[in-house]
Amino acid sequence: GAVVSQHPSWVICKSGTSVKIECRSLDFQATTMFWYRQFPKQSLMLMATSNEGSKATYEQGVEKDKFLINHASLTLSTLTVTSAHPEDSSFYICSATGGNTEAFFGQGTRLTVV
Amino acid sequence: SQQGEEDPQALSIQEGENATMNCSYKTSINNLQWYRQNSGRGLVHLILIRSNEREKHSGRLRVTLDTSKKSSSLLITASRAADTASYFCAPGGTGGFKTIFGAGTRLFVKA
């Protein structure tokens, strides 16, 4: 199957700093990417949908100014957690899909804000 | 968008037994995927079944899909302690079809 790579796989940052997470489709062009967040012992919650070259669509309750999403190319989307706080500590997962393909998921990024 | 709901929420079995978990969804789909997630880890893709398929096998896994009932099942045969994980179904389409995950089924296989 297709490969979606996330980087980094884990990151620890200080409160108040910003963290960027990358999601890359390695062998296909991802017209749409999705970002999910998962708190411990909970399911994956969809945060936003991003289409290449356009602004991301955020789910209700997700702050777009805090979670900046950029999908500038067909193989890369980035999620930047701005002014991170301990409550932002979570597992972030992206998925990517091409025009006529199913969605493939990255391995996830564990963010810990101290 | 499309949401999958897994059932049961939790399942505890002995090693060697079979484990069956179900997924229901509400609208038409193009495909359905099953994923496993070990505690604190990422998603591992298990199997994909397309809407024109009724059953698919992969090793000890058997997936069925009934589009008339909008349901799918995942059977793990001869379970092992290493199968202990959460299992999620992901009903999907193509393109920008977003998937909303259910709570998953937590499987615990006792050695």
Side-chain angles (χ1 to χ4, degrees), chain B residues 4-90:
Chain B
E5 292 290 349
E6 297 86 357
D7 174 71
Q9 289 190 351
L11 181 60
S12 181
I13 59 174
Q14 290 291 140
E15 203 167 31
E17 294 180 341
N18 295 342
T20 299
M21 50 205 89
N22 304 295
C23 169
S24 61
Y25 57 92
K26 289 188 168 59
T27 65
S28 296
I29 61 171
N30 176 274
N31 59 77
L32 187 142
Q33 302 186 70
W34 282 91
Y35 290 87
R36 182 185 73 223
Q37 184 180 38
N38 291 84
S39 182
R41 308 292 293 273
L43 294 176
V44 174
H45 182 262
L46 296 177
I47 198 165
L48 177 148
I49 186 166
R50 300 195 185 280
S51 59
N52 61 353
E53 299 174 307
R54 291 296 167 258
E55 187 170 309
K56 202 162 183 179
H57 297 253
S58 176
R60 293 184 296 113
L61 306 180
R62 181 172 77 100
V63 167
T64 63
L65 179 64
D66 187 335
T67 53
S68 66
K69 294 181 179 178
K70 293 185 169 55
S71 67
S72 174
S73 68
L74 170 66
L75 168 68
I76 303 174
T77 60
S79 62
R80 304 167 183 168
D83 294 328
T84 295
S86 290
Y87 291 81
F88 297 93
C89 68

Side-chain angles (χ1 to χ4, degrees), chain A residues 74-93:
Chain A
L74 286 171
T75 59
L76 174 65
S77 175
T78 60
L79 167 68
T80 301
V81 182
T82 63
S83 187
H85 290 284
E87 56 264 32
D88 297 324
S89 297
S90 187
F91 195 60
Y92 293 86
I93 301 177

Side-chain angles (χ1 to χ4, degrees), chain A residues 36 38 43 59 97 103 107, chain B residues 33 37 43 95 98-99 102 106:
Chain A
Y36 295 82
Q38 185 182 37
S43 186
E59 296 298 306
T97 178
Q107 281 296 92
Chain B
Q33 302 186 70
Q37 184 180 38
L43 294 176
K98 61 184 179 182
T99 296
R106 292 177 184 270

